[in-house]
């Protein structure tokens, strides 16, 4: 694959948007923690492990950690598909599914909505499986 074709891959755009999603979740987590603990805590060394004080800060921390658990697999699969190509389109559809589910997951988790949130999480795993299958099958 030549450089121009690789640069035009829709997978690279999704990787870029996924990085933006990651940054937004980390910033949201930091903002809520700072709101609870104050600017002096945020500016300090934060020695020791400080659990979130409130429900919302705890939820955003767990949602962020959940994203970071599957994020390396998404990036690896997306880059592999960008290099190898995706003639079936299943890999790209899987990547879109993963990304959409990750977007939907955040407000569901923050709102404390059970079961539906778990189904959305399973949808994101299905997206990763579709990406994997497009590479190996």
């Amino acid at each position: 694959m030549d450089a121009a074709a690789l640069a035009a891959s829709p997978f690279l755009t999704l990787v870029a948007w996924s990085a933006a999603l990651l940054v937004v979740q980390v910033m949201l987590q930091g903002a809520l923690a700072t709101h609870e603990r104050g600017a002096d805590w945020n500016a300090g060394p934060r020695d020791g492990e400080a659990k979130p004080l409130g429900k919302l800060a705890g939820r955003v921390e767990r949602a962020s950690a959940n994203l970071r658990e599957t994020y390396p697999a998404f990036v690896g699969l997306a880059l592999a598909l960008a290099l190898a190509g995706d003639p079936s389109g299943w890999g790209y559809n899987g990547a879109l599914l993963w990304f959409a589910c990750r977007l939907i997951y955040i407000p569901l988790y923050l709102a404390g909505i059970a079961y539906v949130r778990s189904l959305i999480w399973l949808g994101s795993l299905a997206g990763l499986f579709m990406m994997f299958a497009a590479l190996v099958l």
Side-chain angles (χ1 to χ4, degrees), residues 11 73-74 77-78 81 85-99 101 122-137:
F11 290 103
F74 172 77
L77 289 167
L81 283 161
D86 181 29
S88 69
W90 277 96
Y92 185 62
N93 288 332
L96 287 174
L97 178 61
W98 179 87
F99 187 75
C101 287
L122 287 172
S124 72
L125 286 185
L128 290 177
F129 178 76
M130 290 167 63
M131 295 170 74
F132 174 80
L135 281 168
V136 300
L137 300 179

Side-chain angles (χ1 to χ4, degrees), residues 14-108:
L14 273 175
V15 168
W17 279 109
S18 73
L21 175 64
L22 177 68
V23 168
V24 166
Q25 276 201 257
V26 168
M27 291 181 72
L28 183 59
Q29 179 183 352
L32 287 174
T34 300
H35 178 72
E36 285 186 350
R37 296 192 176 273
D40 289 339
W41 170 83
N42 191 0
R46 296 184 230 159
D47 293 332
E49 188 175 328
K51 296 285 183 193
L53 300 174
K55 283 183 190 178
L56 198 57
R59 288 176 183 169
V60 77
E61 180 180 317
R62 291 186 298 277
S64 179
N66 185 275
L67 171 67
R68 288 177 279 139
E69 289 171 354
T70 62
Y71 191 64
F74 172 77
V75 171
L77 289 167
L79 294 178
L81 283 161
L83 289 170
D86 181 29
S88 69
W90 277 96
Y92 185 62
N93 288 332
L96 287 174
L97 178 61
W98 179 87
F99 187 75
C101 287
R102 295 313 313 185
L103 280 174
I104 295 166
Y105 186 85
I106 300 164
L108 290 175

Side-chain angles (χ1 to χ4, degrees), residues 112-123:
I113 298 172
Y115 301 109
V116 174
R117 181 193 85 225
S118 297
L119 289 174
I120 294 299
W121 179 80
L122 287 172

